Structures are given as structure tokens and as C-alpha cells.
Amino acid sequence: SIQENLIFDAVKAAVTRVMLDPSVILEPLRQLETADSHERQEQVRTSQSAELELKRLAAEEERILEAYRTSILSPTQLAAELERIKVRRSALEIEASRQEEATVPVEQIERTVTDYCAEAARNLTDFTPEQWREFLRTIIEEIVFHGDRLQIRGRILLGSDGPSGSLPLFIEAPLRVDRVPPCRSAL
């Protein structure tokens, strides 16, 4: 077994390191932004294609209505054709709405993370052990123990929007093995 204070000290040191150096969080964010930029370009192409297809559907709908007006199509055929167009239009509109989802500019996120880390770093030195526990409970979702290191996964809230307004946090932290008593497992 491992003493709780050893894990707590390792987590505390890792979180302090991140709060003092926000680039630990921001560098992966910048890499994600580059990938997102490529994805947004693809989304623009998809959106333009969807707009073109919607225009084609409108022209096809007009052609079908004209065929009905000239008695080329029966009411049953008209209903079937209009339903087919309606299904295609709905799918295209859903696709177009996905393209319009707002994203927070990376500069704003960087500024928020930097401000958050600066504020946290100012306050960390004065934290009592209970305040530390509360702070860690706020940002940490999971800690996985791997012998001589910890993997810490969490979220930094960027506002009051809950998980949608948060930034993922992933930290690898060494655990001082020389201070850890040997573990024996019955496995």
C-alpha cells in the first residue's frame, strides 16, 4: 500500500508546476487548434457543398411541382417525391447546423488559462491542506497510479458552463519511489 500523503504530495507538486507554467496546458491546446483549423476548412467545403445541394433540391422540388401541375405526376407520386426531398433537405440542414457551431477563439482560451493559472499560483502558497484538497477535487477527475508515476486527468473550468466550458488537463507526475514502501500483492 502507498501512503496517501505521498500521492497527495506528488499531485500537489504536479498541479503547482502546471499552475506556475500554463504552457504545459497551452502547448497541447495549440496543437489541437492547428488540427481544428484543418477540420474547419474541411467543414467550410462541406458546408458549401451542402448549400449547393440545397439549391439543387429547391430546383428539383420546383420541377416536381410543375410536373404535378401539368398532370404528369399523380397526387401519390407527388407526395412520395416531396417526402424524398424533405428527407434529403433535413439531412443537409442538420449537416449545415453542425458547421455553424460556435467555437471559442484560441486566443481567448489562452488568455483565460493564463489568467486562471496566475490567480491560482498567487493563491496556492496560502492554501491550507483542506483548501488544497478542495482545489484538487475541483479540477481532477481521475488519478491513475503506475508504480513510480501518476497520471492525472482533469478539467479547468473556463466559466460557469460546466464541462462544455472547460479545458482538458493531463499531467504525468513522478512519484518518489525511494519514499514508497515496497508493495506486496496477492495477485
Side-chain angles (χ1 to χ4, degrees):
S1 68
I2 296 184
Q3 296 176 0
E4 178 185 348
N5 66 325
L6 294 177
I7 293 175
F8 178 76
D9 290 344
V11 170
K12 183 177 162 183
V15 169
T16 300
R17 179 176 49 87
V18 168
M19 292 301 129
L20 295 176
D21 184 10
S23 67
V24 173
I25 299 168
L26 294 175
E27 188 53 40
L29 175 66
R30 290 181 187 112
Q31 293 170 358
L32 283 173
E33 177 59 26
T34 301
D36 284 347
S37 173
H38 295 296
E39 184 177 324
R40 280 192 299 276
Q41 290 171 352
E42 182 60 33
Q43 288 175 344
V44 166
R45 285 190 288 273
T46 301
S47 180
Q48 290 169 342
S49 174
E51 288 294 323
L52 183 60
E53 186 63 24
L54 282 169
K55 288 178 183 176
R56 286 185 192 142
L57 278 177
E60 185 177 342
E61 186 175 36
E62 281 299 316
R63 185 181 55 77
I64 289 169
L65 289 171
E66 184 60 32
Y68 173 72
R69 284 186 207 108
T70 58
S71 299
I72 296 173
L73 292 177
S74 70
T76 306
Q77 291 171 320
L78 174 66
E81 289 297 315
L82 289 177
E83 184 62 30
R84 183 179 60 80
I85 288 174
K86 180 182 172 185
V87 169
R88 286 177 50 201
R89 181 177 285 131
S90 293
L92 288 169
E93 287 172 350
I94 288 170
E95 187 174 314
S97 70
R98 285 188 194 139
Q99 309 307 321
E100 296 170 5
E101 291 176 0
T103 59
V104 178
V106 72
E107 297 82 18
Q108 182 181 348
I109 292 175
E110 286 184 11
R111 190 172 41 257
T112 301
V113 169
T114 302
D115 292 348
Y116 177 88
C117 289
E119 179 68 24
R122 282 191 296 275
N123 294 331
L124 293 180
T125 56
D126 298 329
F127 273 15
T128 65
E130 187 53 42
Q131 288 172 317
W132 263 107
R133 282 185 178 81
E134 188 59 36
F135 176 65
L136 295 177
R137 283 185 195 118
T138 301
I139 65 169
I140 294 178
E141 295 175 343
E142 177 181 53
I143 299 174
V144 179
F145 174 67
H146 293 282
D148 63 345
R149 64 186 169 81
L150 300 171
Q151 287 182 337
I152 305 164
R153 189 176 56 81
R155 293 205 160 276
I156 293 179
L157 297 177
L158 299 177
S160 59
D161 298 338
S164 63
S166 64
L167 187 64
L169 175 67
F170 184 79
I171 308 168
E172 290 265 341
L175 188 61
R176 299 243 345 232
V177 184
D178 59 319
R179 295 176 49 197
V180 177
C183 292
R184 300 204 184 210
S185 175
L187 300 176

